[in-house]
Amino acid sequence: MNQLGQMIKIGDWKGEKHVPIIHAPEKIQAEALTEIKVSIGDAIKHPNTMEHHISWFKLFFLPENGKFPIELGTFEFRAHGENNIFDEPCVSTYVKFKNSGTLYALSYCNLHGLWESSKEIVVA
């Protein structure tokens, strides 16, 4: 039996255009409103065409000693060339953290599937 987790790919975003990049400070002040940005293709541009595109990102946070990740957001990109309109797969959200933990981002490419990255943050 295949599990979804077995189909999620990882890599270094500097050499793989499908890996989501989490832009967040490594140290965050407790309960300070903090910008978390997720993008793709910072080092190697990902195509954005009807035939090959990033459809969505998901962002999660797993607090230290937490049992389950908390979904912070789902971000969909719908314009892939219709009427010459194109979404760029880049989003920002603002979050308040009380505890340190790990951010996880998933991206979905319509041709190459699911990709994951993570970033640890420390809350002081």
Side-chain angles (χ1 to χ4, degrees):
M1 180 171 127
N2 285 334
Q3 293 183 342
L4 185 60
Q6 295 172 326
M7 294 180 235
I8 298 173
K9 301 170 193 145
I10 59 172
D12 181 357
W13 62 267
K14 293 174 187 167
E16 172 51 64
K17 63 187 168 197
H18 294 93
V19 177
I21 305 148
I22 301 169
H23 303 272
E26 291 181 16
K27 292 186 179 180
I28 296 172
Q29 183 179 355
E31 299 193 44
L33 194 59
T34 304
E35 181 181 20
I36 309 298
K37 179 179 164 186
V38 180
S39 62
I40 207 155
D42 289 16
I44 302 171
K45 185 81 173 142
H46 187 280
N48 190 12
T49 65
M50 189 71 80
E51 297 79 23
H52 187 190
H53 57 266
I54 299 298
S55 296
W56 52 258
F57 292 149
K58 283 190 172 281
L59 182 63
F60 299 90
F61 178 68
L62 179 63
E64 279 183 349
N65 303 316
K67 291 184 179 183
F68 306 104
I70 298 158
E71 183 176 353
L72 301 178
T74 297
F75 310 95
E76 295 184 356
F77 309 104
R78 302 286 183 141
H80 307 292
E82 302 89 349
N83 223 10
N84 286 320
I85 305 293
F86 298 89
D87 281 334
E88 281 299 319
C90 180
V91 296
S92 289
T93 188
Y94 293 82
V95 184
K96 291 182 182 180
F97 298 96
K98 288 188 177 183
N99 300 350
S100 299
T102 305
L103 289 163
Y104 293 92
L106 283 175
S107 63
Y108 178 74
C109 173
N110 70 313
L111 291 181
H112 300 105
L114 294 167
W115 293 80
E116 175 186 328
S117 67
S118 63
K119 181 171 185 169
E120 291 189 29
I121 57 167
V122 174
V123 175

